[in-house]
Amino acid sequence: MSHLERTISALQERFPHGVLGKAEFRGDITLQIDSASLVAVCRYLRDEPALGYNVLVDIGAVDYSPQEPRFALFYIVYALVQNTRLRLKVLLPGAEPVAPSISGIWPSANWPEREAFDMMGIGFEGHPDLRRILMPADWEGHPHRKDYPLGYEEVQFTFNKREIDARKKYATS
Amino acid sequence: MSQVRELETTVEELKHLFSPRAATGETMLLNLGPQHPSTHGVLRLLLELDGEEVVSCIPDVGFLHTGIEKNMEAKTFLKALVMTDRMDYLNNMGNNLTYCLAIEKLCAIEVPERAQVLRVICAELQRIASHLVWLGTSAIDLNASSILIYCFRDRERIMDLFELIGGQRMMTSYIRPGGVWRDVPAEFPAAVESFLDYLPGKLDDYERLLDKNPIYLARTIDIGIVDGDEALAWGMTGPALRGSGVNFDVRRAMPYSGYENFEFEVPLETGCDVYARYRVRMREFRESIKIIRQGLRLLKPGPFITSDRKFAPPPRAELGRSMEAVIHHFKYWTDGFPAPDGEVYAATESPRGELGCLLAGDGGPNPRRVHFRTPSFNTLQVLSWLSRGYLVADLVAIIGSIDIVLGDVDR
Amino acid sequence: MGAEQKLGNMGVVTTSLETVVNWGRAGAIWPMLFGLACCAMEMIATQAGTYDASRFGMELMRASPRQADLMIVAGRVTRKMAPVLRRLYDQMPDPKWVISMGDCASCSGVFNNYALVQGVDEVVPVDVYIAGCPPRPEALIDGFLKLHEKVRGEKLARWA
Ligand code: SF4
């Protein structure tokens, strides 16, 4: 039995209500976790000596709109000694998406959570310093959401030449 | 628009980041960057200083946030490739490779043997180029200015090699889903060989210049100490982690692109300081040279891109003869290819650490979401506590030693 | 009298004030060390040994805007960076010039999106645009020469 299988059965045994499902895609196993038990699951993964997941590799947020639940957070955790990776998935609703912060367990979650907050507008309860990280502090909206416009540059034609020249006031000299 | 909480940042909110002494004026708040030569780009640091000593340091990133991840969603899988080059601009080929590995995993594309070896050669050349830039810029921060000129001279030779295979110096987009763009020209192996013969002697020179330089040693040894467990908990990867004695290298732990067929050592140092991280990188140069030499030996004639017409364009010669090829060609460049609905994660070892790509398809030709786990972003977090208690001059050495690229941090 | 002795038998050169000043300015333009993104790598490569921008009177990259008279906007300018860029420009003493290096600085290149200023000419006046992603060092040098041409042609009325 590989370490990954051992981990999964240990988790399923220990958190019968916390582990909501298991999916396999292209050889990677993703466990769906209830957001209420995320912190407990993570703490168990890190602190149980037999499991030893001591590294949080990444937190990635995905927007599935118009599906509901709309957001998913992917946590990739890694056990260095056993060289095993596990992916956790937490689904969040479109209105008021809030997940518990795991920066108390792996401090490296600090910035990725801030990024998810900034870009996707997902809140993290218990985060020590939840501010915007990439966008300016006074930015409106969360750019990586599907309903946020990408934004583009208008092409200058004869009909709108003046208008664009007025905006780019330094372009013509 | 925000459903989570009010977004205005006030001084009150930032107060917890500084010590209470800042409010009384006992310590000084200083802004470093975003335009500062030693921050290696547009990094801004808010420093609280007690005299010359750093009490707290708050990195402020995002000055180079380009919206690459969002922009990629608006393009087909194939056309989004050009954006990855421009992300971590010292590891262009490596970014291509990471993204292509993710696509290949998502769509289950087979990559021919020759392409895999070529990818390894390119990735390692890129690692050498990146480490050269790192060596030059981090040494000039510590006032060893001649190194920069030497390193850029050597980097030019790698740029010439890339130009030979990709037609561009930096943004080659040479690695494509399913293989590489086109076969390397016949002169390529000999050109690489001659570069590999040239480099080791130069590296010895640079090592002599720095290792025997008392100023360099005094400014690097016992500066910026981070032990292995801390480094892991804070998500450090790459040479910065290996300088703390943790044996983690994605090439070894989760081999990709045929790295399991190569013999190389993962350099480890236990000094945990700036100097140890410098030693690791200097040894990595030599390992990369070893890998490339093996790669040149493993390079056998054969196809360089998958023959599945859904994922690779037909060769030019076929276009004149076969109607089917024309249709494939047209479909490939206009519609792209659909990818299944699902998420994959692929990782490579970039010169700075683990570079991962979380790629989600939605059944159509555009990605639903591309998210990059970038090494610099995770590593930069440590700066907030790592610099505590050191002098401002040491802070510069520490920034240099963790080797961040702001394009990689902000994307 | 001193001048005559020093000049020896070189004779006398007559020229206009305009030409002399412009010649002096064009021959010693100091760029600001201001790299934003990938293009900055090529800017450093231009400055380094192989391409050697000091041949064009640019031996020194000054990190302080107060000591520079050329701003090379090397890379993409984000909305977060734009106010900083403008402030740096305002801090530079006159006369000052701006080179917009690369597609991103000129028109935001392949990134047509929310995060970037779509062309740095929304923020500062640009003298020379250089195409390329990134422009080769040769292209940047060509940009320098174009700028020299422009500086040499400047009219007294403009700077007096
Ligand atoms: S023009 Fe190209 S090389 Fe220059 S900053 Fe933009 S993306 Fe980078």
Side-chain angles (χ1 to χ4, degrees), chain B residues 86 89 170-171, chain C residues 37-40 74-76 101-105 108-111 132-135:
Chain B
R86 287 147 179 89
Y89 41 81
M170 283 168 75
M171 315 299 176
Chain C
C38 350
C39 280
R76 32 197 198 246
M101 177 185 183
D103 292 351
C104 280
S108 94
V110 290
F111 308 108
C133 181

Side-chain angles (χ1 to χ4, degrees), chain B residues 47-108:
Chain B
L47 301 175
E48 183 188 349
L49 302 175
D50 183 0
E52 183 82 345
E53 195 183 303
V54 180
V55 180
S56 58
C57 163
I58 302 153
D60 181 9
V61 299
F63 287 95
L64 197 55
H65 174 66
T66 318
I68 289 181
E69 291 173 2
K70 173 102 175 171
N71 220 155
M72 284 170 84
E73 289 168 17
K75 298 184 179 276
T76 62
F77 281 100
L78 193 69
K79 289 176 184 166
L81 180 73
V82 296
M83 305 240 151
T84 60
D85 285 274
R86 287 147 179 89
M87 202 172 57
D88 173 354
Y89 41 81
L90 293 181
N91 182 32
N92 321 80
M93 292 267 196
N95 298 343
N96 286 168
L97 179 58
T98 317
Y99 178 63
C100 289
L101 286 175
I103 294 182
E104 282 149 15
K105 200 165 166 188
L106 185 65
C107 301

Side-chain angles (χ1 to χ4, degrees), chain C residues 49-89:
Chain C
T50 318
Y51 292 98
D52 195 9
S54 23
R55 292 177 293 163
F56 306 94
M58 299 184 175
E59 14 299 83
L60 282 172
M61 294 281 231
R62 301 311 304 188
S64 162
R66 300 274 184 212
Q67 301 163 347
D69 32 29
L70 168 65
M71 176 192 251
I72 305 175
V73 185
R76 32 197 198 246
V77 183
T78 61
R79 302 233 175 256
K80 197 170 178 177
M81 193 65 193
V84 183
L85 185 110
R86 179 70 210 191
R87 169 171 286 196
L88 287 169
Y89 178 78

Side-chain angles (χ1 to χ4, degrees), chain B residues 172-316:
Chain B
T172 49
S173 297
Y174 178 65
I175 297 174
R176 300 275 169 99
V180 295
W181 171 45
R182 59 175 192 185
D183 210 347
V184 289
E187 313 88 52
F188 179 70
V192 175
E193 201 65 77
S194 95
F195 172 68
L196 295 184
D197 292 338
Y198 160 86
L199 189 63
K202 300 289 168 200
L203 289 176
D204 293 341
D205 285 352
Y206 307 153
E207 271 184 331
R208 272 202 297 276
L209 273 173
L210 293 178
D211 276 344
K212 296 201 174 146
N213 181 341
I215 299 175
Y216 187 77
L217 296 182
R219 292 194 65 181
T220 53
I221 291 176
D222 284 340
I223 302 293
I225 295 198
V226 47
D227 72 38
D229 288 336
E230 262 177 333
L232 280 174
W234 280 90
M236 281 167 90
T237 45
L241 179 66
R242 293 193 284 273
S244 300
V246 180
N247 190 350
F248 173 67
D249 186 322
V250 184
R251 291 176 292 174
R252 208 15 96 58
M254 283 148 273
Y256 52 89
S257 198
Y259 265 108
E260 60 274 19
N261 307 328
F262 290 83
E263 261 185 42
F264 63 98
E265 204 189 305
V266 178
L268 285 183
E269 292 281 336
T270 48
C272 305
D273 54 3
V274 173
Y275 185 70
R277 303 196 263 278
Y278 152 77
R279 288 300 318 155
V280 168
R281 292 200 181 90
M282 290 313 281
R283 285 168 61 191
E284 278 192 5
F285 273 122
R286 304 205 157 81
E287 293 307 317
S288 293
I289 294 175
K290 228 159 80 185
I291 295 175
I292 299 171
R293 279 199 203 283
Q294 291 172 44
L296 289 178
R297 245 178 286 130
L298 287 174
L299 203 58
K300 300 272 157 18
F304 56 88
I305 194 163
T306 170
S307 54
D308 189 339
R309 289 283 167 265
K310 237 172 78 193
F311 301 114
R316 187 90 196 106

Side-chain angles (χ1 to χ4, degrees), chain B residues 2 40 75 80 97 208 226 274 355 377 386-387:
Chain B
S2 156
H40 291 225
K75 298 184 179 276
L97 179 58
R208 272 202 297 276
V226 47
V274 173
L355 174 67
F377 184 72
L386 183 55
S387 54

Side-chain angles (χ1 to χ4, degrees), chain A residues 25-28 30 54-67 70-71 74 76 78 80 83 85 87 89 94-98 105-115 117 119-124 128-150, chain B residues 1-9 13-14 16-17 58-63 65 67-71 73-74 104-108 229 232-236 241 246-248 250 252-254 340-345 347 354 356 358 360-362 367-374 376-378 380-381 409-411:
Chain A
F25 182 67
R26 303 285 186 227
D28 289 345
T30 309
N54 51 352
V55 184
L56 174 80
V57 178
D58 187 26
I59 301 176
V62 181
D63 182 354
Y64 286 98
S65 75
Q67 290 170 31
R70 178 173 165 187
F71 296 105
F74 287 91
I76 299 164
Y78 178 58
L80 182 78
N83 192 15
R85 270 196 177 177
R87 198 151 71 200
K89 176 181 178 182
E96 295 266 332
V98 178
I105 300 169
W106 291 290
S108 63
N110 191 327
W111 278 24
E113 283 181 352
R114 276 177 72 187
E115 190 196 339
F117 166 71
M119 291 311 182
M120 282 288 186
I122 296 172
F124 288 92
D129 180 26
L130 198 62
R131 285 180 294 131
R132 281 194 181 262
I133 183 165
L134 294 179
M135 303 309 291
D138 55 357
W139 195 263
E140 268 179 31
H142 302 285
H144 283 183
R145 288 190 170 188
K146 287 281 180 196
D147 51 9
Y148 190 92
L150 179 63
Chain B
M1 175 120 186
S2 156
Q3 296 123 336
V4 184
R5 43 161 240 182
E6 284 296 300
L7 281 171
E8 277 91 55
T9 317
E13 265 175 78
L14 295 178
H16 67 279
L17 300 170
I58 302 153
D60 181 9
V61 299
F63 287 95
H65 174 66
I68 289 181
E69 291 173 2
K70 173 102 175 171
N71 220 155
E73 289 168 17
E104 282 149 15
K105 200 165 166 188
L106 185 65
C107 301
D229 288 336
L232 280 174
W234 280 90
M236 281 167 90
L241 179 66
V246 180
N247 190 350
F248 173 67
V250 184
R252 208 15 96 58
M254 283 148 273
D341 191 351
E343 303 84 19
V344 293
Y345 178 84
E354 174 173 344
L358 179 75
D362 60 356
R368 185 200 296 279
R369 172 97 167 98
V370 196
H371 170 77
F372 284 97
R373 182 258 184 235
T374 51
S376 310
F377 184 72
N378 285 267
L380 189 56
Q381 296 185 66
V409 175
D410 298 343
R411 308 182 291 289

